[in-house]
Amino acid sequence: MNTLEELKVELQQFAQERDWDQFHSPKNLAMALAGEAGEAGELLEVFQWLTEEQSKNLTTNQMAAVADELADIQIYLIRLADKLNLDLTKEAKRKIASNAVKYPINKAKGNPKKYTDL
């Protein structure tokens, strides 16, 4: 799988084979994604107490845990976008363009402040 579109199709098939599409309303998927916020907490646990350097050089077990949590989050994002007929790649590019306006290079370069504080 190399593209979001391929992942979307594979996830559609996975849900259809299990007759889960009936449960995959936008509301339910958004709630499941919010539930994955707990997974994001588990993601944070991997990095808790690590130094900056250690966080860049995870052990095999730590990397596997990170990969699992990120995959769970991505799966729900793709399914929700699919149910709402949103193209995640297109929307991400749109958001990057919007952020480029909010964070012009001459003000934001090397500066971690929020755009309202630049």
Side-chain angles (χ1 to χ4, degrees):
M1 288 279 132
N2 292 324
T3 69
L4 283 176
E5 184 63 29
E6 290 170 327
L7 278 171
K8 179 178 85 172
V9 169
E10 186 172 339
L11 289 167
Q12 287 171 343
Q13 181 179 352
F14 185 90
Q16 287 169 355
E17 289 170 347
R18 288 155 182 82
D19 195 24
W20 287 355
D21 219 37
Q22 63 182 314
F23 308 117
H24 288 183
S25 67
K27 177 193 75 71
N28 287 350
L29 290 166
M31 290 174 66
L33 185 57
E36 287 303 315
E39 298 296 323
E42 290 180 31
L43 180 63
L44 289 173
E45 285 180 11
V46 174
F47 294 99
Q48 186 177 17
W49 313 121
L50 297 182
T51 65
E52 290 293 323
E53 190 58 34
Q54 290 169 327
S55 74
K56 297 175 187 175
N57 297 291
L58 299 176
T59 67
T60 301
N61 287 344
Q62 289 169 326
M63 189 64 80
V66 167
D68 279 350
E69 302 310 331
L70 291 176
D72 284 342
I73 293 165
Q74 183 178 30
I75 286 168
Y76 282 122
L77 282 173
I78 291 169
R79 285 296 285 160
L80 180 56
D82 181 27
K83 290 297 183 175
L84 295 172
N85 295 315
L86 292 171
D87 179 330
L88 279 176
T89 301
K90 177 182 161 188
E91 296 306 325
K93 288 180 179 184
R94 178 195 57 74
K95 184 63 176 172
I96 291 168
S98 172
N99 286 343
V101 172
K102 289 180 183 177
Y103 295 94
I105 293 169
N106 65 326
K107 291 183 179 180
K109 189 170 185 174
N111 189 337
K113 292 181 181 178
K114 186 174 177 175
Y115 69 94
T116 55
D117 297 328
L118 291 176

